[in-house]
Amino acid sequence: MNSNTVKSILTPNDMAAQCAIYFSQLNAINTDIGIESEVTKQQQLDFMKNTVQSLADMVDHAADRKLKLTNELESLELELLHYKTKLSKADSYVKPTRTMNLTKDVEVLRSQVDDVRVEYLKECVKADELRNNLRHYYAMMPDTVPKNDLASSGFQKEVTCAFVEALKTEVARCKAEIEERQAECKPQAIVVVGLLEELELPAEDPVDKVLVNLVKEERVFGGPDFDPELAASPAIRGQLGTRIAALVAIRSGVAAQQRVLLDSLKKLWGDCRTPAEEYELFLSENSGLSGSVIDAYRAEVKKRQEEKALALSEDIKKARVELESLWNDIGHTDRQRAEFPPAHTSEVSEQVLELISGEIQRLRSVSAAKEKASLAVAEFTSLQRDLQQFEISNRDPGRLVGRSAHREPGRLLAEEKTRNRLTRNLMGARANLKASLLEYEAVLGKPYLVDGEPFLGHVFGREYRRWRTAPSKRAPPLLPPPPPPPPPGTPSPSSGRPPALPSSSSRRLPLLPPTATTAASSRPLPPAPTTLPPRVVGGKSKAPPLEAQEKKKIKSSKK
């Protein structure tokens, strides 16, 4: 490294001056070294060629850069015009003025192109959104798809303002069509949603979810499958009538089930003597046709059935105690008691209670008829015996002569009054006896026997035999006709509870066998009167012929 330093080169002349100096020094040094002058010249020529070549390369590089900038500037101008055209701003486009600085011009134009490109991309995004919306609307309304399907991916690949406006117009038309169809569907959707809420049914069906979203005007159920705008689709619109009919059928079934449960509850409330405040509170708290209300009705039915079963069991126990008492009073045998199964069954039901209650009523009638017949027979025989004894005591004619007769001048009149009184009482007892024994036969189905013979035959003789041979002419029993069966919900006399089943006389077992005799059969027949009672003709009694003869004898003795 020599001490020579390169001076500042400001102009080509400076460079030429310095090159001359350095060439001179190089020649001197090469001469001293012994290098031939030709070699030194060649070195100088190579240096100058290299220097010129470097300058030429620099020029070429600068020219290439200028060309690139020029081409880029033209390309940016075209691109700017293209975007302006897509955005319908070609009329306002002004070609940029070029300056002497190509690099600055390119930078300015590139910034403008970037801004326009961003604006265009926004329009593209907007167009994609509109196209997706349009595809969605076309999917919901396939019957409204036009021939120039703007939503097709192959239609108008490049986005222009005209295309975006066409999309906006078509989207607005579809949206208006959907809103119109939704308005038509909404009343039916409200009916469906109302039925679902009334029945407390979950909206599990896709159609129900779409309709719920439509009525609520919000996305109660998320996801595109439950878009409320889907209510405008022909598929869902076609299913509205079917869905409403199905829900109405479900509602009718639930209402019928509720009516059946309510009817059962009313009967059970009556059977259990439930206070009005209690069941009115239950009805007010459980209104509607929801599943929870039906469950509450079922629970109430079960509860009241259990209460009724307990009360029914107690009523059956009480009825059996009364039945046993009547059996003891009437004198039923063990065999007769065993022939009535309801008294011994373990079943607890209204039918059993009704059968026992019916048997109790029958036994009460039997007991009353027996007691009435026994009293009538006792009264009749007592009066008959009194009349017989009176007539026997008055047969002695000597009672009318002697001193005692003079002391009792009205004796015959008193005797006549006594005879008439006893005769009237006996005739009344005879009529009562007839009615009581006919009632006895009607209740027990057999005659009242004394010593194995019908007592009516003993008293009435031929008249009774005429009744037996001509039943149609027989006097009707003095029993009132059986009352009609009580309507459902009317308490029975024995238990105060409504019968569950209609009464059936065929289920009642006979209390006594036909061959059994009554307690009165042990009493002997009263002796037949030796003197006939006076006959009543025209309201006046006539004495029998024997008494008339006695009176004649008395009159003759007085004379």
Side-chain angles (χ1 to χ4, degrees):
M1 189 71 182
N2 55 22
S3 60
N4 295 325
T5 59
V6 179
K7 296 180 179 180
S8 298
I9 298 175
L10 300 178
T11 62
N13 294 329
D14 293 340
M15 181 179 177
Q18 288 189 23
C19 287
I21 293 172
Y22 287 123
F23 285 157
S24 176
Q25 292 177 358
L26 181 61
N27 291 331
I29 294 171
N30 286 337
T31 301
D32 294 339
I33 295 172
I35 297 174
E36 294 179 359
S37 59
E38 294 296 331
V39 174
T40 301
K41 289 179 180 180
Q42 189 61 40
Q43 290 178 345
Q44 292 177 355
L45 289 175
D46 292 339
F47 170 76
M48 287 186 291
K49 285 182 180 180
N50 291 333
T51 301
V52 172
Q53 186 63 43
S54 297
L55 290 174
D57 293 339
M58 292 175 63
V59 171
D60 292 340
H61 177 71
D64 291 340
R65 184 180 178 188
K66 179 181 178 181
L67 180 60
K68 289 180 180 180
L69 289 173
T70 303
N71 293 337
E72 184 178 1
L73 190 61
E74 293 176 354
S75 176
L76 289 174
E77 289 175 352
L78 293 175
E79 187 175 1
L80 181 62
L81 179 60
H82 173 74
Y83 286 135
K84 290 283 187 179
T85 303
K86 294 291 184 183
L87 296 174
S88 299
K89 297 180 180 180
D91 297 338
S92 62
Y93 172 74
V94 178
K95 188 175 181 180
T97 303
R98 297 185 182 183
T99 64
M100 299 303 294
N101 191 341
L102 290 178
T103 302
K104 186 176 180 180
D105 292 342
V106 167
E107 289 177 356
V108 172
L109 192 57
R110 187 181 293 150
S111 176
Q112 294 179 2
V113 170
D114 290 340
D115 293 339
V116 175
R117 185 185 295 112
V118 169
E119 185 178 355
Y120 176 74
L121 290 177
K122 289 181 179 179
E123 290 295 322
C124 290
V125 171
K126 189 183 299 183
D128 289 339
E129 291 177 357
L130 292 171
R131 186 178 292 177
N132 291 333
N133 291 337
L134 201 56
R135 290 195 189 102
H136 175 65
Y137 293 152
Y138 285 169
M140 287 188 293
M141 301 183 298
D143 52 329
T144 64
V145 179
K147 294 182 179 179
N148 55 339
D149 187 0
L150 298 175
S152 175
S153 58
F155 183 83
Q156 192 77 22
K157 291 184 179 181
E158 294 185 357
V159 177
T160 62
C161 286
F163 179 66
V164 172
E165 290 300 323
L167 286 175
K168 289 180 179 179
T169 303
E170 182 65 11
V171 167
R173 183 192 71 81
C174 292
K175 189 173 182 180
E177 178 72 16
I178 286 177
E179 290 176 353
E180 182 179 353
R181 294 190 180 190
Q182 284 180 329
E184 294 176 359
C185 294
K186 198 161 187 178
Q188 293 176 302
I190 292 174
V191 173
V192 172
V193 175
L195 289 171
L196 290 174
E197 292 178 349
E198 182 182 9
L199 299 172
E200 288 188 357
L201 294 177
E204 297 177 348
D205 190 272
V207 176
D208 294 342
K209 292 182 178 181
V210 171
L211 297 178
V212 169
N213 286 339
L214 174 63
V215 173
K216 301 296 183 180
E217 295 183 353
E218 58 179 334
R219 290 293 186 89
V220 179
F221 300 96
D225 296 335
F226 311 124
D227 192 330
E229 293 180 344
L230 285 172
S233 64
I236 292 182
R237 293 176 70 190
Q239 297 182 39
L240 279 174
T242 304
R243 186 56 179 160
I244 291 176
L247 290 175
V248 168
I250 294 174
R251 186 185 184 280
S252 300
V254 174
Q257 185 179 7
Q258 187 186 49
R259 285 194 298 271
V260 172
L261 291 172
L262 183 57
D263 292 341
S264 300
L265 276 178
K266 288 180 179 178
K267 186 175 183 302
L268 289 170
W269 285 333
D271 295 345
C272 299
R273 303 179 184 89
T274 305
E277 299 81 8
E278 187 174 343
Y279 63 72
E280 287 175 358
L281 177 62
F282 173 82
L283 292 176
S284 64
E285 291 178 348
N286 296 278
S287 60
L289 298 173
S290 62
S292 58
V293 171
I294 299 301
D295 292 340
Y297 270 66
R298 290 196 183 101
E300 181 71 8
V301 168
K302 183 178 180 181
K303 173 185 173 183
R304 298 303 176 183
Q305 284 176 344
E306 293 174 354
E307 291 181 6
K308 180 180 177 181
L310 291 175
L312 192 62
S313 177
E314 293 297 324
D315 291 343
I316 291 176
K317 288 180 182 178
K318 293 178 182 178
R320 284 174 177 166
V321 171
E322 184 177 359
L323 181 64
E324 190 71 24
S325 175
L326 288 171
W327 278 345
N328 294 334
D329 294 342
I330 295 174
H332 259 33
T333 63
D334 292 341
R335 179 181 177 184
Q336 289 173 325
R337 301 182 186 195
E339 289 176 351
F340 186 69
H344 314 288
T345 181
S346 60
E347 178 185 355
V348 177
S349 65
E350 291 184 351
Q351 183 179 3
V352 171
L353 179 61
E354 182 190 357
L355 293 175
I356 295 177
S357 301
E359 184 66 10
I360 288 174
Q361 293 297 323
R362 191 183 72 83
L363 292 180
R364 285 176 180 172
S365 301
V366 169
S367 179
K370 280 189 173 185
E371 183 178 1
K372 188 175 180 181
S374 300
L375 292 175
V377 170
E379 180 186 13
F380 177 78
T381 55
S382 176
L383 288 172
Q384 192 180 46
R385 190 180 300 109
D386 292 344
L387 183 59
Q388 289 175 356
Q389 291 176 357
F390 175 78
E391 295 295 342
I392 292 172
S393 65
N394 292 336
R395 284 179 182 177
D396 184 11
R399 75 186 188 283
L400 301 176
V401 296
R403 294 179 180 179
S404 61
H406 294 287
R407 295 175 183 174
E408 299 179 5
R411 182 168 182 169
L412 287 177
L413 182 60
E415 289 178 356
E416 185 66 20
K417 289 182 178 180
T418 302
R419 182 181 292 107
N420 290 338
R421 176 177 58 79
L422 291 174
T423 302
R424 285 194 304 271
N425 293 341
L426 184 61
M427 294 300 293
R430 190 170 185 267
N432 183 42
L433 176 69
K434 177 181 177 182
S436 300
L437 295 188
L438 287 177
E439 179 181 351
Y440 178 91
E441 288 191 17
V443 173
L444 274 74
K446 60 181 181 179
Y448 186 91
L449 302 179
V450 176
D451 291 338
E453 295 294 332
F455 193 71
L456 280 176
H458 173 71
V459 176
F460 293 94
R462 293 180 180 178
E463 186 179 1
Y464 175 74
R465 286 191 292 273
R466 188 169 63 252
W467 294 343
R468 303 299 291 179
T469 55
S472 61
K473 297 181 181 180
R474 177 178 175 178
L478 301 179
L479 280 178
T490 304
S492 62
S494 62
S495 63
R497 308 174 66 81
L501 298 173
S503 60
S504 175
S505 59
S506 61
R507 295 180 179 177
R508 296 175 180 170
L509 299 178
L511 180 64
L512 293 173
T515 58
T517 58
T518 64
S521 63
S522 60
R523 294 195 298 269
L525 286 172
T530 57
T531 304
L532 294 175
R535 293 178 291 111
V536 178
V537 179
K540 298 181 179 180
S541 62
K542 290 187 177 182
L546 182 58
E547 293 179 356
Q549 293 174 6
E550 291 179 352
K551 288 182 178 180
K552 288 180 181 180
K553 290 180 181 180
I554 293 171
K555 290 180 180 180
S556 61
S557 63
K558 286 183 179 180
K559 291 178 180 180

